Amino acid sequence: TVNTQLGPVIQRAVFNYISVAEAFNELASLTGFSWNISYTRDLHFFARETNVAPFALTNNFRDMQVKRTREQYRNQQIVRAGQDQTDVRTERFRGDGTLKSFLLSLPVATVPTVTVNGTAQTVGIRGLETGRAWYWQKGDSTITQDDVPAALGTADNLAVTYRGQFPILLVAQKTDEIRTRAAVEGGTGIYEALFNDQNIDGVILAEQKAEGLLRRYGRIPQTVTCETDAPGLAAGQMITITVPAHNLHGQYLIDSVQAVDIAGRLMRYRVRALDGEHLGGWVEFFQAMAAAGRQFVIRENEVLIRQSLFGPNVILCGDSITISSASPESRIGHLMIGFGEVA
């Protein structure tokens, strides 16, 4: 059954070796949607404002409490991410008759273009490819000439065109919240939080992550808890609460629902809901998040390294390497590595 609604466009999404739940959680946090899998094993991915509770809370509850908390509040979000790429840049070098390795200003992010005296050169990945004039490696600042040709002379000009890598450290703010806190409490009004994720590989994704965290935690929510015997409520639903005694009027987002069996006679539900007053209402908030035309990018250009672990039955692992050279020192080496005893 198809239970997914149309929403923001995801340009690219790459999820390597994480659970499906983690992938959907990340998609939901960026787009403002919610998701669940029903008891019939159907996936539901939907705009939160369309998930409406089957009834409102007016006088069908007991033990209502209302509180405000700054437990996870922040109005300035720092994201320390992975690496982003520079614009295309060209660096030039002159040979000296000896040097075969040249140090670039930044680590290399993509395959470089190499020319010598204006003539294009073949380029390969150092340690993986052979028979090329020059070699590079992602994340390394060095461009290396092949061993066979002579080193560039003083009349030779080397040009390397590439995209460099640089670390991402991004700061995002909610200036209106900062001003509000400063007016109420004095001081700078800044509440700061740091988020680390080296898997974020671009400034755009880092910005999206910071925005998502500020959307979620960049407000001091009004939390409403109560008990009800009416079934049908679930986390993620929008519920209307009208209780003048607590000055509650409007729509709230149900954060959690706990069910307790009362002596085998009925189920009693403990409900917790968050208000959206500070954002002009939850419905308007989620609709604005899913505005048409916004596109998201989630990871690309990931390098996968696979590691093999040997079990206890492996006692010896061998490898051999043949070294070809015109020098008298040519020889065949043999490497033996022990891993333990047979179980």
Side-chain angles (χ1 to χ4, degrees):
T1 305
V2 177
N3 297 292
T4 56
Q5 299 177 1
L6 295 178
V9 175
I10 306 296
Q11 277 188 312
R12 291 181 296 277
V14 180
F15 299 109
N16 283 337
Y17 294 94
I18 65 173
S19 69
V20 173
E22 290 174 312
F24 276 122
N25 284 340
E26 185 162 351
L27 291 172
S29 68
L30 286 175
T31 61
F33 274 39
S34 287
W35 72 279
N36 62 56
I37 297 177
S38 68
Y39 66 91
T40 58
R41 299 182 181 179
D42 289 333
L43 170 66
H44 297 254
F45 198 81
F46 50 88
R48 292 179 181 179
E49 68 272 13
T50 65
N51 188 25
V52 182
F55 59 87
L57 289 178
T58 52
N59 55 8
N60 50 344
F61 61 86
R62 64 173 61 82
D63 190 23
M64 178 171 283
Q65 300 178 16
V66 181
K67 69 175 183 178
R68 291 167 62 85
T69 177
R70 291 176 295 184
E71 183 177 352
Q72 293 182 292
Y73 174 74
R74 78 282 308 262
N75 50 37
Q76 179 167 290
Q77 180 68 57
I78 299 175
V79 174
R80 179 177 287 125
Q83 302 284 325
D84 198 14
Q85 298 180 12
T86 66
D87 294 333
V88 175
R89 54 190 290 135
T90 299
E91 297 184 22
R92 303 179 187 278
F93 307 88
R94 184 179 293 276
D96 63 0
T98 303
L99 194 62
K100 291 203 131 187
S101 294
F102 297 84
L103 186 64
L104 301 169
S105 301
L106 295 169
V108 182
T110 58
V111 181
T113 299
V114 179
T115 63
V116 175
N117 300 325
T119 302
Q121 306 288 294
T122 56
V123 179
I125 300 175
R126 186 167 52 252
L128 294 179
E129 297 176 309
T130 59
R132 312 299 168 86
W134 294 85
Y135 297 96
W136 75 289
Q137 196 169 53
K138 184 170 183 176
D140 194 332
S141 303
T142 305
I143 187 83
T144 306
Q145 188 181 10
D146 189 59
D147 292 335
V148 177
L152 299 183
T154 55
D156 294 320
N157 292 297
L158 170 69
V160 181
T161 301
Y162 70 105
R163 290 182 182 271
Q165 286 183 335
F166 63 92
I168 301 169
L169 184 63
L170 181 140
V171 179
Q173 290 183 331
K174 293 188 72 173
T175 55
D176 57 336
E177 279 288 323
I178 292 175
R179 286 194 297 265
T180 299
R181 290 295 96 207
V184 172
E185 304 171 8
T188 64
I190 294 176
Y191 283 72
E192 190 174 73
L194 173 65
F195 178 82
N196 277 293
D197 188 350
Q198 294 300 311
N199 290 322
I200 297 176
D201 60 356
V203 170
I204 293 177
L205 181 56
E207 290 174 347
Q208 293 171 359
K209 191 66 179 182
E211 291 172 8
L213 291 169
L214 285 177
R215 283 198 303 264
R216 182 171 184 181
Y217 301 113
R219 54 183 302 276
I220 300 178
Q222 188 178 55
T223 304
V224 180
T225 56
C226 66
E227 291 182 352
T228 179
D229 296 338
L233 299 183
Q237 291 177 341
M238 302 299 303
I239 187 169
T240 299
I241 303 178
T242 305
V243 183
H246 288 286
N247 196 28
L248 302 179
H249 305 273
Q251 286 193 313
Y252 292 71
L253 176 67
I254 297 179
D255 181 59
S256 66
V257 178
Q258 296 178 331
V260 179
D261 188 323
I262 305 299
R265 296 182 296 105
L266 57 88
M267 296 296 293
R268 181 159 294 164
Y269 305 93
R270 186 71 178 174
V271 181
R272 187 174 72 172
L274 307 176
D275 79 297
E277 178 186 359
H278 214 60
L279 298 159
W282 281 114
V283 173
E284 292 81 2
F285 173 59
F286 290 130
Q287 286 175 341
M289 285 177 60
R294 185 170 187 186
Q295 296 183 330
F296 296 91
V297 178
I298 304 176
R299 298 189 188 91
E300 60 179 344
N301 300 325
E302 288 192 316
V303 177
L304 175 64
I305 299 175
R306 302 190 65 175
Q307 182 181 22
S308 298
L309 300 178
F310 294 98
N313 291 331
V314 177
I315 59 172
L316 196 64
C317 180
D319 197 6
S320 63
I321 180 171
T322 300
I323 304 173
S324 299
S325 173
S327 64
E329 289 80 10
S330 298
R331 60 187 182 277
I332 297 178
H334 192 69
L335 175 65
M336 304 296 290
I337 305 173
F339 282 94
E341 299 178 353
V342 176

